[in-house]
Amino acid sequence: MDDALVLKDVCKTYGDREAVRDVSFSVRPGEIFGLIGPNGAGKSTTLRMICTILRVTAGTITVCGHDVMKEGEEVRRCISYLPEDAGAYKELTGRAYLKFMARFFASEQNFDRMMETGLRIADLGDRIDSKVSTYSKGMMRRLLIARAIMPEPKLAVMDEITSGLDVMNAYEIRELVRKVAAEGVTVLISSHNMFEVESLCNRVGMIDEGRLILCGTPAELKEQFGAQNLEQVFIKAVKEA
């Protein structure tokens, strides 16, 4: 089976500044892949190129076999993107928000099924009929993940999925992502929380100053560097780079 996502020698420059430099990695179907590194490392820039929001300066990106530069419309049909700072219309109820968003993606024939999927993933109980303005950060994140997954994307791209959440809400969101992947959605997440990624992802790519410095399973990388966790791996890899 072909990879769901392939980046080859991808670069993004802004004038003389190289935000992403020669990044190459692939993501397999049904995998949870984590792109990790410190703030400003190039993670979000990479995700935005994958999602056709930013133009690739050099190199190639294919999503489900479609080139992001040549077949952007086909790529957008395959993916969903949840940025870190995403929000929802606060004066709508959660149910009304999902209905509003479903109308952009659903045909008349599959609207009910899409809504059923969104409500199941959000799993907000009676609060689905409360205004979004009354939601906690954790409830908001569940609603937004439901919005991202209900169109049944082949690849879900999520940036800093638990940013700003407390321990319990972060745990619940990670469990939700595992459930989504188990149902067949390929998931690409970015995070600076290496402990979170280690527990969640099948494979990880470590990025620093725009360069991909490591890629592999958490177990492989820890064994390679004789480390107890991915944070130690990253520190050692940066020193050796």
Side-chain angles (χ1 to χ4, degrees):
M1 187 179 294
D2 293 338
D3 289 327
L5 172 66
V6 180
L7 284 78
K8 186 174 181 181
D9 302 325
V10 172
C11 300
K12 179 63 180 177
T13 60
Y14 297 95
D16 295 332
R17 186 173 73 87
E18 292 181 300
V20 175
R21 296 185 282 169
D22 298 319
V23 167
S24 299
F25 66 87
S26 61
V27 180
R28 301 160 187 158
E31 186 173 45
I32 304 176
F33 187 97
L35 191 62
I36 60 179
N39 292 333
K43 303 186 301 298
S44 294
T45 298
T46 300
L47 297 192
R48 289 169 185 155
M49 286 191 287
I50 292 168
C51 296
T52 74
I53 295 169
L54 294 177
R55 290 184 62 82
V56 177
T57 302
T60 60
I61 301 175
T62 57
V63 177
C64 301
H66 300 291
D67 187 298
V68 300
M69 293 295 288
K70 299 175 183 177
E71 302 171 276
E73 193 169 322
E74 291 298 325
V75 168
R76 288 187 285 274
R77 290 194 182 103
C78 296
I79 64 173
S80 64
Y81 174 49
L82 183 59
E84 179 182 3
D85 56 357
Y89 298 109
K90 293 185 177 181
E91 292 307 307
L92 295 178
T93 65
R95 188 188 303 273
Y97 172 71
L98 292 179
K99 282 184 178 180
F100 176 77
M101 297 306 297
R103 290 192 181 98
F104 286 100
F105 302 103
S107 64
E108 190 173 328
Q109 290 73 29
N110 70 358
F111 180 86
D112 289 343
R113 187 185 69 183
M114 189 177 293
M115 278 299 300
E116 182 180 335
T117 299
L119 293 170
R120 174 177 55 81
I121 293 171
D123 193 22
L124 290 171
D126 293 341
R127 293 301 305 279
I128 194 68
D129 291 309
S130 299
K131 282 190 175 183
V132 173
S133 60
T134 69
Y135 285 6
S136 67
K137 288 183 179 179
M139 294 169 66
M140 174 72 84
R141 211 62 179 164
R142 293 189 73 91
L143 182 70
L144 291 171
I145 290 175
R147 185 270 296 166
I149 300 302
M150 67 183 188
E152 300 180 351
K154 294 179 180 178
L155 174 66
V157 180
M158 304 182 187
D159 197 359
E160 300 287 358
I161 55 170
T162 61
S163 177
L165 299 185
D166 61 28
V167 172
M168 185 58 70
N169 281 322
Y171 172 81
E172 291 176 352
I173 293 301
R174 288 194 293 271
E175 289 300 299
L176 179 56
V177 171
R178 288 190 182 95
K179 183 178 180 181
V180 165
E183 293 177 357
V185 179
T186 304
V187 179
L188 171 64
I189 67 170
S190 78
S191 180
H192 64 275
N193 185 335
M194 299 192 192
F195 294 101
E196 173 176 270
V197 170
E198 182 174 343
S199 70
L200 181 61
C201 296
N202 304 110
R203 288 189 306 131
V204 300
M206 292 189 171
I207 191 168
D208 184 51
E209 296 182 348
R211 297 177 299 111
L212 192 75
I213 58 175
L214 285 174
C215 190
T217 69
E220 289 169 348
L221 297 179
K222 286 188 290 185
E223 181 178 358
Q224 179 182 342
F225 285 85
Q228 294 180 330
N229 53 59
L230 288 185
E231 186 175 67
Q232 291 179 359
V233 171
F234 184 81
I235 291 169
K236 290 182 179 183
V238 168
K239 288 179 178 179
E240 293 180 10

